[in-house]
Amino acid sequence: MTRSAPIAARGPFGQQAHELGKSARTRARLMDAATGLFARQGFEAASVNEIAKVAEVANGTFYAHFRDKEEIAGAVAFRIAEEVVRQLDAAMAEVDEAVERTSMATRRFIDLAASEPDWGGALFRAVWEFRDLREGVITYLRADLQRGVTQGAFTTEIDDVLIDTFSSMTLGALFSRLQGTHGPEAACRVAELQLRMLGVPAARAKAAAWREIPPLRLTIIPLAKGG
Amino acid sequence: MTRSAPIAARGPFGQQAHELGKSARTRARLMDAATGLFARQGFEAASVNEIAKVAEVANGTFYAHFRDKEEIAGAVAFRIAEEVVRQLDAAMAEVDEAVERTSMATRRFIDLAASEPDWGGALFRAVWEFRDLREGVITYLRADLQRGVTQGAFTTEIDDVLIDTFSSMTLGALFSRLQGTHGPEAACRVAELQLRMLGVPAARAKAAAWREIPPLRLTIIPLAKGG
Amino acid sequence: MTRSAPIAARGPFGQQAHELGKSARTRARLMDAATGLFARQGFEAASVNEIAKVAEVANGTFYAHFRDKEEIAGAVAFRIAEEVVRQLDAAMAEVDEAVERTSMATRRFIDLAASEPDWGGALFRAVWEFRDLREGVITYLRADLQRGVTQGAFTTEIDDVLIDTFSSMTLGALFSRLQGTHGPEAACRVAELQLRMLGVPAARAKAAAWREIPPLRLTIIPLAKGG
Amino acid sequence: MTRSAPIAARGPFGQQAHELGKSARTRARLMDAATGLFARQGFEAASVNEIAKVAEVANGTFYAHFRDKEEIAGAVAFRIAEEVVRQLDAAMAEVDEAVERTSMATRRFIDLAASEPDWGGALFRAVWEFRDLREGVITYLRADLQRGVTQGAFTTEIDDVLIDTFSSMTLGALFSRLQGTHGPEAACRVAELQLRMLGVPAARAKAAAWREIPPLRLTIIPLAKGG
DNA sequence: CATGAATGAGCATTCATTCAT
DNA sequence: GATGAATGAATGCTCATTCAT
């Protein structure tokens, strides 16, 4: 069977593996493959055999790197979340105001996830399925919300229900984006609604949430040598 | 294999089947069984064989009543949604103010669904999986939100993103309730946050959302004769 | 369930049952239904449930009349063969010459069976599957062939292989007719080839086999009262 | 479970697999198993599980080698037909006279197929079920018949009905051989009848069809190492 | 006799996982 | 590490057959 191009090697994990050993590269390819398949078909429907085929390794090889499907799902989710949080954090390093930080975080999270549907889909599923991961992301969120209270911008208590609700709103919008139900403006609208909910005056909420912000895209470093 | 009691016969569908024919009773038991399993494991993971086993019928019997898994899922979802909407609607027949209607709907929807975890879980999955069903429920929601605008209580436009976001908030809270993450007060808190988001002043939102309301429970008619 | 017309009651067995008791009529309807289904889908693929549904009786009723699927298949085959032989025999009562009898038998058998595809198909399957039935039909055939030898028209010995081969030729042509591979003239051609094989001079064979013969159709007596 | 001998490894495909890889050997065993079962029970009645059991592999293994039952049936049929045609063709390479070729083809086809009942049975079913395969074999037949006309030996037109009828005669005889109804002489007798049908004078037909011909057997290379 | 719900073995097929090479 | 053939339990679904009514 001749397969002309090592497509799988193009994914984000594979790409960062250019100077790793063969073993790490294989692992990266498996994660790339899994990312795409989980996102497109969900965890249940993606078979290990298919992951291996897309990764262009023998199916048995999968088990040299991951104990089972569960494990690779966790690894994929963790890796994505890590990356997303890292980029989000970097992009907001110099923003102080909680109103800005909060709306930017929501908008960028959605845009980021939607810009790379494989990642976004997998991330969505992952946040859904792995409570731990959710907790991780939430830590950042809580800090920003708390900051808003301290700054006097938010007028409601930052409790667990608020955090969960805030997250649900963001994830709901992401889901609609991924489904194609709503366009890019949905992110702004949700951010606006979140600010309103937090107690930001309507006009201020609208202004902040719809303000133009420089686009952000997942940086992708091409693989030096394919496969 | 020791199975202590005909559990399946206890479900809400089976219970209403006390004077139906044998066939309808079996169908009801299958729906009860499916309801529980879909709620606990989701549509994919619940196998027809297991549904049949829980319903205490032979696996082939399933197919005398439903064409396939898809069909029973639809039947379960429809039946639950119907019931929930019916009860919600009845309970709010005499409430005119949108602020009250909106917060009551959210709170009661969550309480109702959480009071019968099987139903609630299945409903949650169903709303998730069957867009049609979601649309149906949303119709009621949109009407109440629009009413709030007309009454001057809500200060934001009622667009699709708002509706989706509102739904996400409710479903998110329901999910947490079903998971045990939050207690009954979560429903009030979310209702409050929704009102804030819609533009209701903080004090009014809090008052309306936390006001004591008479409890509502899915009425369950016990089976006259077990099995 | 409202089903407008008792279609099944229109079949040849049902039709002759107009003055029989209810039980016999049910049996006839089952046989009609089975005839059609066996012919269209074969013995394996026709399910008892479907036979019962087409016959418009409950599936359990089937077993009040036939021990199993095998038995109804035998009954159907036997009944058809009987009818075909009866009609063939009647139509040739006054033909004495073996050359005529032989070619007429082949042609009429094919035409008859092809004229009523349900019957024909079932007959074909049956002859194939039930050796006994084949033997029955063959008795007539052997008599005619023997007669030809006695009359000096056929120059080859009438042994078992000849009989089988003769039958294969006829059945092969019937099969092609039922498949639509060949048209009505195939029956003549096969009859001609059979005569040649038996030793009839080419010209005589051709003349006899292609001579116009009055058409023959399975007589169908309509049911006095449907159902 | 006591299973006395690895029967499956004895089949013609398995036997030629002695120096193939493990995968090819398993495939061969599956084809051997399928050949026997198709021949004995027909395509419908032979289950994949049974094929796997006879081949002494797990049922899932089947699907690593064939997409479905259809595919293995095609593979078996093709392989057999190919082999039979190849051997038949080789054996008649130097025979020029159509009378000889025709009768030899019929006799050898029957003998060959009957000599290896599994193959023969499967071949019979296959010719029956796969029109394509039939067409392939028929091409050779048509050429020989045409040659007879050219040589002035056959006095009838070579049309489609003739070809079909000729085939039916051969297949009918093969069927009887496989059933045990007739002995080896049936092949000669049918060949004789075919020649008579084609217009060969009775004496010549008899002489040609019953002439001693060197036996031919499907060459079978024993497996070097069992299993 | 007729009914039709119920049965349960059986079927084709999938897939996570193992293991000899 | 990597391979890929093999495994076998499990799944959705069909259907001949039984039996209480």
Side-chain angles (χ1 to χ4, degrees):
Chain A
M1 201 183 304
T2 53
R3 185 174 275 278
S4 56
I7 295 164
R10 293 272 132 77
F13 300 150
Q15 295 179 10
Q16 293 165 0
H18 58 138
E19 55 177 21
L20 292 155
K22 189 176 163 200
S23 172
R25 210 157 51 236
T26 300
R27 190 186 154 93
R29 288 159 63 115
L30 283 165
M31 283 179 69
D32 282 343
T35 302
L37 290 169
F38 285 155
R40 276 192 291 281
Q41 335 181 349
F43 177 76
E44 298 267 16
S47 78
V48 170
N49 279 6
E50 205 176 354
I51 293 172
K53 203 195 303 179
V54 170
E56 293 176 309
V57 298
N59 61 36
T61 302
F62 178 93
Y63 292 91
H65 294 274
F66 302 96
R67 197 168 356 90
D68 53 20
K69 227 175 35 162
E70 207 76 39
E71 189 173 291
I72 200 175
V76 163
F78 185 81
R79 187 68 172 68
I80 293 178
E82 196 179 54
E83 186 65 15
V84 166
V85 165
R86 205 180 52 70
Q87 297 211 18
L88 233 49
D89 216 45
M92 302 197 308
E94 296 172 11
V95 181
D96 274 331
E97 268 189 285
V99 169
E100 300 297 331
R101 289 187 68 87
T102 304
S103 63
M104 262 181 78
T106 290
R107 292 171 63 187
R108 285 220 147 116
F109 178 80
I110 294 172
D111 286 346
L112 217 52
S115 75
E116 199 71 45
D118 277 6
W119 287 54
L123 178 57
F124 184 82
R125 295 250 175 199
V127 167
W128 191 257
E129 230 131 352
F130 300 94
R131 198 114 265 266
D132 283 2
L133 202 153
R134 196 166 186 158
E135 299 303 334
V137 178
I138 276 175
T139 304
Y140 287 82
L141 173 56
R142 175 173 270 121
D144 280 343
L145 292 176
Q146 207 56 259
R147 183 193 298 223
V149 172
T150 307
Q151 293 178 347
F154 301 157
T155 65
T156 194
E157 194 192 344
I158 308 305
D159 56 21
D160 285 350
V161 178
L162 173 67
I163 305 260
D164 261 25
T165 301
F166 193 98
S167 309
S168 295
M169 296 168 87
T170 307
L171 284 176
L174 171 54
F175 184 73
S176 298
R177 275 299 303 278
L178 290 168
Q179 297 278 312
T181 312
H182 299 315
E185 75 292 348
C188 299
R189 180 67 166 130
V190 169
E192 180 191 355
L193 292 170
Q194 287 173 330
L195 291 180
R196 290 173 64 109
M197 174 181 81
L198 292 165
V200 177
R204 171 89 208 271
K206 188 163 208 165
W210 292 87
R211 183 181 353 276
E212 198 82 5
I213 51 173
L216 193 63
R217 249 191 147 273
L218 285 182
T219 324
I220 287 182
I221 306 159
L223 245 191
K225 287 189 176 176
Chain B
M1 200 183 301
T2 53
R3 187 172 276 277
S4 55
I7 295 165
R10 292 273 132 76
F13 299 149
Q15 296 181 12
Q16 292 167 0
H18 58 137
E19 55 175 22
L20 290 145
K22 191 177 167 195
S23 176
R25 210 154 52 236
T26 301
R27 190 187 153 92
R29 287 160 63 113
L30 283 165
M31 282 180 70
D32 283 343
T35 302
L37 289 169
F38 285 155
R40 277 191 290 282
Q41 336 181 347
F43 177 76
E44 297 267 19
S47 79
V48 170
N49 279 6
E50 205 175 355
I51 292 172
K53 203 195 298 182
V54 170
E56 294 177 305
V57 298
N59 63 46
T61 300
F62 177 92
Y63 293 93
H65 295 274
F66 301 96
R67 199 166 354 89
D68 53 19
K69 228 178 26 166
E70 206 76 39
E71 190 173 289
I72 200 176
V76 164
F78 184 82
R79 187 70 172 67
I80 293 177
E82 193 182 53
E83 189 64 16
V84 166
V85 165
R86 204 178 55 69
Q87 298 212 17
L88 233 51
D89 217 44
M92 303 200 308
E94 296 174 11
V95 182
D96 274 331
E97 269 189 284
V99 170
E100 300 297 330
R101 290 186 68 87
T102 305
S103 62
M104 262 180 79
T106 290
R107 291 170 64 187
R108 286 222 147 114
F109 178 81
I110 294 172
D111 285 347
L112 217 52
S115 75
E116 198 72 46
D118 277 5
W119 286 51
L123 178 57
F124 184 82
R125 293 260 174 190
V127 167
W128 191 258
E129 230 131 351
F130 300 94
R131 198 116 266 266
D132 281 3
L133 203 152
R134 195 167 187 156
E135 299 303 333
V137 177
I138 276 177
T139 304
Y140 288 83
L141 172 57
R142 175 173 269 120
D144 281 342
L145 293 177
Q146 206 56 260
R147 183 193 298 226
V149 171
T150 306
Q151 294 178 347
F154 301 158
T155 64
T156 194
E157 193 193 344
I158 309 303
D159 56 22
D160 285 350
V161 178
L162 173 66
I163 305 257
D164 260 26
T165 302
F166 194 98
S167 309
S168 296
M169 296 167 86
T170 307
L171 284 176
L174 171 54
F175 184 73
S176 299
R177 276 299 301 279
L178 290 168
Q179 296 279 312
T181 312
H182 299 315
E185 74 293 347
C188 299
R189 180 68 166 129
V190 169
E192 181 192 354
L193 292 170
Q194 287 174 330
L195 292 179
R196 292 173 62 108
M197 173 181 82
L198 291 166
V200 177
R204 171 91 207 271
K206 188 162 208 164
W210 292 87
R211 186 185 345 281
E212 197 82 7
I213 50 174
L216 193 62
R217 249 190 148 271
L218 285 182
T219 324
I220 288 181
I221 306 158
L223 246 190
K225 287 185 177 177
Chain C
M1 200 183 304
T2 53
R3 186 174 275 279
S4 55
I7 295 164
R10 293 272 132 76
F13 299 149
Q15 295 178 10
Q16 292 165 1
H18 56 137
E19 57 176 21
L20 292 155
K22 190 175 161 200
S23 172
R25 207 155 54 234
T26 301
R27 189 186 156 93
R29 288 158 64 115
L30 283 165
M31 284 180 68
D32 281 344
T35 304
L37 290 169
F38 285 156
R40 276 192 291 281
Q41 336 181 347
F43 176 77
E44 298 266 18
S47 78
V48 171
N49 278 7
E50 205 175 353
I51 292 172
K53 202 195 303 181
V54 171
E56 293 175 309
V57 298
N59 62 37
T61 301
F62 178 92
Y63 291 91
H65 293 274
F66 301 96
R67 199 169 354 91
D68 54 19
K69 226 172 41 159
E70 207 76 39
E71 190 174 290
I72 199 176
V76 163
F78 185 81
R79 187 65 173 70
I80 293 178
E82 194 180 55
E83 186 65 14
V84 166
V85 165
R86 205 179 53 69
Q87 296 211 20
L88 233 50
D89 216 44
M92 302 198 308
E94 296 173 10
V95 181
D96 274 331
E97 266 191 285
V99 169
E100 300 297 331
R101 289 187 67 87
T102 305
S103 62
M104 262 181 80
T106 291
R107 292 171 63 187
R108 287 223 146 113
F109 177 81
I110 294 172
D111 285 346
L112 219 52
S115 75
E116 198 72 44
D118 277 4
W119 287 52
L123 178 57
F124 184 83
R125 295 253 175 195
V127 167
W128 191 258
E129 230 130 350
F130 300 94
R131 199 113 265 265
D132 282 2
L133 201 153
R134 196 166 186 156
E135 298 305 332
V137 178
I138 276 174
T139 303
Y140 287 81
L141 172 57
R142 175 173 271 119
D144 280 343
L145 291 176
Q146 206 57 259
R147 185 195 295 226
V149 171
T150 307
Q151 293 178 346
F154 301 157
T155 65
T156 194
E157 192 192 347
I158 308 304
D159 56 22
D160 284 350
V161 178
L162 173 64
I163 305 259
D164 259 27
T165 302
F166 194 97
S167 310
S168 296
M169 297 168 87
T170 307
L171 284 177
L174 171 54
F175 183 73
S176 298
R177 274 301 300 278
L178 290 169
Q179 296 279 312
T181 312
H182 299 314
E185 75 292 346
C188 299
R189 180 68 166 128
V190 169
E192 180 192 354
L193 291 170
Q194 287 173 330
L195 291 178
R196 290 174 63 110
M197 174 181 81
L198 292 166
V200 176
R204 171 89 207 272
K206 188 163 209 165
W210 292 87
R211 187 188 340 283
E212 198 83 5
I213 51 173
L216 194 61
R217 251 189 145 271
L218 285 183
T219 323
I220 288 183
I221 307 158
L223 244 191
K225 286 188 178 175
Chain D
M1 200 183 302
T2 52
R3 186 170 277 279
S4 55
I7 295 164
R10 293 271 132 76
F13 299 149
Q15 296 182 11
Q16 293 166 2
H18 60 135
E19 57 175 21
L20 289 144
K22 191 179 167 195
S23 176
R25 207 155 52 236
T26 301
R27 191 186 153 93
R29 286 160 63 115
L30 283 165
M31 282 180 69
D32 283 342
T35 302
L37 289 169
F38 286 155
R40 277 192 290 281
Q41 336 181 348
F43 176 76
E44 297 266 19
S47 79
V48 169
N49 279 6
E50 203 175 355
I51 292 173
K53 203 195 299 182
V54 171
E56 294 176 308
V57 297
N59 61 45
T61 300
F62 177 91
Y63 293 92
H65 294 274
F66 301 96
R67 198 167 354 90
D68 52 21
K69 230 179 22 167
E70 205 77 39
E71 189 173 291
I72 200 176
V76 163
F78 184 82
R79 187 70 172 68
I80 293 177
E82 192 181 56
E83 189 64 16
V84 166
V85 165
R86 204 180 54 71
Q87 297 212 17
L88 234 50
D89 216 44
M92 302 198 309
E94 294 173 12
V95 182
D96 273 331
E97 268 189 286
V99 170
E100 300 297 331
R101 290 186 68 86
T102 305
S103 62
M104 263 181 78
T106 291
R107 292 171 62 188
R108 287 221 147 117
F109 178 80
I110 294 172
D111 286 346
L112 218 51
S115 75
E116 197 73 43
D118 276 5
W119 287 52
L123 179 57
F124 183 82
R125 293 262 176 188
V127 167
W128 191 258
E129 231 130 350
F130 301 94
R131 197 117 268 263
D132 281 2
L133 202 152
R134 194 167 188 154
E135 300 303 333
V137 177
I138 275 176
T139 303
Y140 287 83
L141 173 56
R142 176 173 268 120
D144 280 343
L145 292 176
Q146 207 56 260
R147 184 195 295 227
V149 172
T150 307
Q151 293 177 348
F154 301 157
T155 65
T156 195
E157 193 193 345
I158 308 305
D159 57 20
D160 285 350
V161 178
L162 174 66
I163 305 258
D164 260 26
T165 302
F166 194 98
S167 309
S168 296
M169 296 168 87
T170 307
L171 284 177
L174 171 53
F175 184 73
S176 299
R177 276 299 302 279
L178 290 168
Q179 297 279 311
T181 313
H182 300 314
E185 74 292 347
C188 299
R189 180 67 166 128
V190 169
E192 180 191 355
L193 291 169
Q194 287 174 330
L195 291 179
R196 291 174 62 109
M197 175 180 81
L198 291 166
V200 176
R204 171 89 206 272
K206 187 163 208 164
W210 292 87
R211 184 183 349 279
E212 197 81 8
I213 51 174
L216 193 61
R217 252 191 143 271
L218 285 182
T219 324
I220 288 180
I221 305 159
L223 247 189
K225 285 186 178 177

